[in-house]
Amino acid sequence: MGVKNDGKKPDNEPFGNWKGLLYYAVLMLIITMLLNGLLFPAMRQRVIETGYNDFLSMIEAGKVRQVQRDQDQILFLAEDAAGNRQVYRTGNWEDPELTERLYSAGVTFGKVIPQKESAIMAFFTNWILPIGVMLLLGNLLSRTLMKRMGGNAMTFGKSNAKIYAENETGKTFADVAGQEEAKEALVEIVDFLHDPNKYADIGASLPKGALLVGPPGTGKTLLARAVAGEAHVPFFSISGSEFVEMFVGMGAAKVRDLFKQATEKAPCIVFIDEIDTIGKKRDSGGISGNDEREQTLNQLLTEMDGFDGKKGVVILAATNRPESLDQALLRPGRFDRRIPVELPDLKGREAILKVHARNVRMDDTVDFNAVARATSGASGAELANIINEGALRAVRMGRRVVCQEDLEESVETIIAGYQRKGAAVSEKEKRIVAYHETGHALVAACQSNSAPVHKITIIPRTSGALGYTMQVEEGERFLMSREEALNKIATLTGGRAAEEFMFHSVTTGASNDIEQATKLARAMVTRYGMSDQFGMVALETVTNQYLGQDTSLACSPETAKAIDDEVIRIVKEQHEKAIGILKENAAKLNELSAYLLEKETITGDEFMEILRR
Ligand code: ADP
Ligand code: MG
Ligand code: ZN
């Protein structure tokens, strides 16, 4: 149990195993018997047998209230000595005076006790009904329990892991674009799964596991599914977080279960997503230690060592925090292959866009290269989203095909959020924003070694941006020179510089620019070795490569202070440079801002034309 076979048989049947059902049935039988023996007789009406003489004397005494003829007997209701009403039964003697007597005593004729139930009815109410009710209750109870604990209430110690087994994932390497190196590394695994014997004959054993590492949305899960699809083998997948359980030991049980099922179905792929959840470095002597997680990890390590790699079970795992993984997992014989799945480059982005455009009706003129160039740093998932947003926009616009404009707009939507055409921005603020954005663009354009301006807009976005300047590189860039980094900082300060220069006051609109400029200047000093004062010394180390590039300082407090001073100096210098550029081009700044204010959005070409004339 535990396998979800393409959703055919959901695994939340409470009595999935017959032993549990048997126990339950026996338990219920006992309970019903107890109920029948102790409780129900007390509830049923008791009938007291009595003689005809007593009956007559009770009539005399005026104790009888009601009388009923029951075949050749008489049932009657009367008060006993203690004054409680009881039902009595007596033989019916052929007494001609009885009716007269009863009548004069004021006794009513009618039903004394409700219709005596038939044997079948009695059986039903005493046995079937209680059992039915209890079955229902038990069913409900175990369902809720299972939902709470994620485990089968009937079978403690056994897991009920939601392991998704797909017999065919239906994905192939053709669905994964731009991850050529990763695919190359995985082809061998596909080949092995096709024909494990070929490898066994020669005595070669393939690595038992491969670890896919890379930022979120780069296609790690997709690649794993594609491997299974290419090899036409079942695909077991489970997320690391599903191992983390309420009860200690359940996670380990799930691991055992998973491997048991996988070996039965070999050759197959076992995919453990987000393995860092269980595979985190184990604490060395800390107090906090998470026993459950550690047990699960230990179980995983044991299982990986234990199973026969020649059978054809390949374990793939994915993570975006490889640095936090326990070293034991990466040891030879476990996940010793590490396959980087990086953010796509220009060519990769174009390929991914094309893969996702396959099923979308696209205008022939769509330039995927241009879109790819504008989306430097985007992941595969984001690119897929861009195509979809573009298609949605085409529908909104009432068009039948997706055109370039839709894609460009959806790029901006992904970067900056939706347009907020209705946002009430005052004329004065609009003017400030126009100068701010023109400032960025102008500083960028007046420096060599700076990416060309692609678009400037002052239409507010849902992200809160009141406008922005888009710069798009001609081709792919892998390195940034010191000059380019400095120019970038100058460009970032250009917005604020224009506000100062024009209005002699500053606004909060530059907060994001400031943050970016500071980050870059800081990285120049601490990581890129680009400041004369410190030279090639790593003062900060990146602790989280794929998620947000968190860094931690690795220097003395005095050095930290000196770093701050250097960062401030760099940003200040570039800010001054930007102001200088704007002063020199004051006329153009005014002209361009006025034009932008009027048009709200201008292209890089329009911008350059005005700048050059
Ligand atoms: P990850 O597991 O690395 O976080 P996923 O594999 O879940 O990323 O990718 C999410 C989605 O993004 C995929 O379903 C696919 O539509 C798209 N995608 C990501 N990378 C690629 C790629 N290289 N080629 C095609 N589509 C991709
Ligand atoms: Mg994933
Ligand atoms: Zn700005």
Side-chain angles (χ1 to χ4, degrees), residues 67-280:
V67 166
Q68 180 197 350
R69 179 163 231 155
D70 182 26
Q71 278 148 27
D72 56 347
Q73 295 197 311
I74 292 170
L75 283 172
F76 65 96
L77 190 69
E79 280 169 17
D80 64 5
N84 296 323
R85 286 192 168 193
Q86 298 283 9
V87 176
Y88 297 87
R89 187 201 305 274
T90 184
N92 181 19
W93 300 84
E94 289 302 315
D95 182 355
E97 288 163 54
L98 180 60
T99 317
E100 188 62 27
R101 271 179 219 234
L102 288 170
Y103 194 74
S104 52
V107 178
T108 50
F109 300 87
K111 282 219 167 107
V112 173
I113 48 172
Q115 187 71 48
K116 235 177 42 182
E117 353 164 271
S118 70
I120 293 172
M121 276 300 282
F123 180 71
F124 180 80
T125 46
N126 294 349
W127 294 94
I128 308 288
L129 198 71
I131 291 181
V133 166
M134 269 185 285
L135 260 174
L136 206 79
L137 268 178
N139 201 328
L140 279 177
L141 212 75
S142 70
R143 255 170 220 268
T144 18
L145 268 180
M146 260 189 316
K147 250 183 227 155
R148 290 265 170 82
M149 317 188 304
N152 194 327
M154 286 293 149
T155 53
F156 275 110
K158 267 206 158 181
S159 85
N160 190 29
K162 264 209 241 84
I163 304 161
Y164 291 94
E166 286 176 76
N167 288 327
E168 271 291 335
T169 60
K171 296 274 180 218
T172 64
F173 281 150
D175 294 308
V176 191
Q179 295 290 357
E180 301 311 323
E181 295 79 12
K183 280 196 254 179
E184 224 162 82
L186 291 166
V187 161
E188 199 181 5
I189 293 179
V190 174
D191 189 49
F192 170 69
L193 289 168
H194 265 310
D195 188 6
N197 290 333
K198 189 169 79 184
Y199 288 76
D201 284 349
I202 220 168
S205 53
L206 216 70
K208 287 177 179 173
L211 186 65
L212 300 162
V213 298
T218 44
K220 298 184 292 297
T221 309
L222 185 65
L223 267 166
R225 293 166 63 85
V227 171
E230 288 276 336
H232 301 289
V233 296
F235 181 70
F236 289 84
S237 107
I238 188 165
S239 168
S241 58
E242 282 170 57
F243 285 118
V244 183
E245 279 286 342
M246 201 161 98
F247 299 112
V248 174
M250 290 287 267
K254 274 187 185 178
V255 174
R256 232 174 291 132
D257 215 35
L258 173 67
F259 277 83
K260 197 168 138 258
Q261 289 177 36
T263 16
E264 277 163 17
K265 281 224 174 181
C268 66
I269 295 269
V270 173
F271 178 58
I272 305 175
D273 211 349
E274 321 285 346
I275 196 172
D276 44 283
T277 355
I278 45 165
K280 248 182 256 157

Side-chain angles (χ1 to χ4, degrees), residues 243-483:
F243 285 118
V244 183
E245 279 286 342
M246 201 161 98
F247 299 112
V248 174
M250 290 287 267
K254 274 187 185 178
V255 174
R256 232 174 291 132
D257 215 35
L258 173 67
F259 277 83
K260 197 168 138 258
Q261 289 177 36
T263 16
E264 277 163 17
K265 281 224 174 181
C268 66
I269 295 269
V270 173
F271 178 58
I272 305 175
D273 211 349
E274 321 285 346
I275 196 172
D276 44 283
T277 355
I278 45 165
K280 248 182 256 157
K281 282 194 184 76
R282 285 167 289 189
D283 294 330
S284 46
I287 21 162
S288 63
N290 182 341
D291 274 350
E292 161 66 352
R293 222 197 58 222
E294 230 164 81
Q295 264 195 30
T296 310
L297 177 57
N298 286 337
Q299 187 65 40
L300 180 65
L301 297 177
T302 317
E303 293 287 347
M304 284 198 78
D305 289 342
F307 82 86
D308 183 2
K310 295 196 172 72
K311 279 229 180 86
V313 179
V314 174
I315 302 159
L316 296 178
T319 180
N320 40 36
R321 331 179 45 126
E323 67 287 332
S324 73
L325 285 183
D326 198 293
Q327 282 307 312
L329 266 176
L330 308 174
R331 222 199 53 189
R334 290 166 185 164
F335 293 106
D336 46 2
R337 284 241 172 131
R338 189 185 166 115
I339 302 173
V341 187
E342 299 285 348
L343 286 172
D345 57 9
L346 179 60
K347 238 178 76 203
R349 289 198 298 274
E350 196 176 335
I352 293 172
L353 287 170
K354 281 181 179 159
V355 161
H356 287 277
R358 276 184 316 200
N359 301 324
V360 179
R361 224 183 276 157
M362 289 277 171
D363 198 281
D364 293 337
T365 59
V366 165
D367 182 0
F368 289 109
N369 185 270
V371 181
R373 268 190 289 131
T375 48
S376 157
S379 69
E382 281 166 322
L383 293 167
N385 195 11
I386 283 170
I387 295 284
N388 192 47
E389 283 284 340
L392 290 176
R393 184 172 184 270
V395 174
R396 269 204 302 277
M397 296 288 171
R399 251 183 280 107
R400 310 217 42 179
V401 290
V402 178
C403 66
Q404 188 73 18
E405 203 190 320
D406 296 324
L407 292 182
E408 297 217 337
E409 177 58 34
S410 79
V411 169
E412 284 168 53
T413 306
I414 306 281
I415 296 172
Y418 289 95
Q419 289 191 353
R420 273 174 61 203
K421 287 232 165 83
V425 181
S426 70
E427 274 312 304
K428 182 163 176 261
E429 276 182 335
K430 266 211 159 119
R431 227 165 87 83
I432 295 175
V433 176
Y435 269 93
H436 179 107
E437 297 307 332
T438 313
H440 282 307
L442 204 55
V443 172
C446 293
Q447 296 175 117
S448 48
N449 292 326
S450 183
V453 173
H454 180 71
K455 185 174 183 176
I456 315 170
T457 172
I458 54 168
I459 297 172
R461 294 273 165 173
T462 46
S463 67
L466 292 175
Y468 60 86
T469 305
M470 225 171 132
Q471 285 175 272
V472 174
E473 298 277 0
E474 292 289 356
E476 184 86 283
R477 303 299 299 267
F478 299 101
L479 293 171
M480 186 165 31
S481 71
R482 191 185 138 117
E483 279 62 50

Side-chain angles (χ1 to χ4, degrees), residues 436-437 440 467-469 491-492 494-496 499 509-514:
H436 179 107
E437 297 307 332
H440 282 307
Y468 60 86
T469 305
T491 304
L492 284 166
R496 165 62 68 87
E499 288 180 39
S511 62
N512 186 35
D513 301 335
I514 292 169

Side-chain angles (χ1 to χ4, degrees), residues 11 38 177 313 565:
D11 197 44
L38 298 176
V313 179
D565 293 342

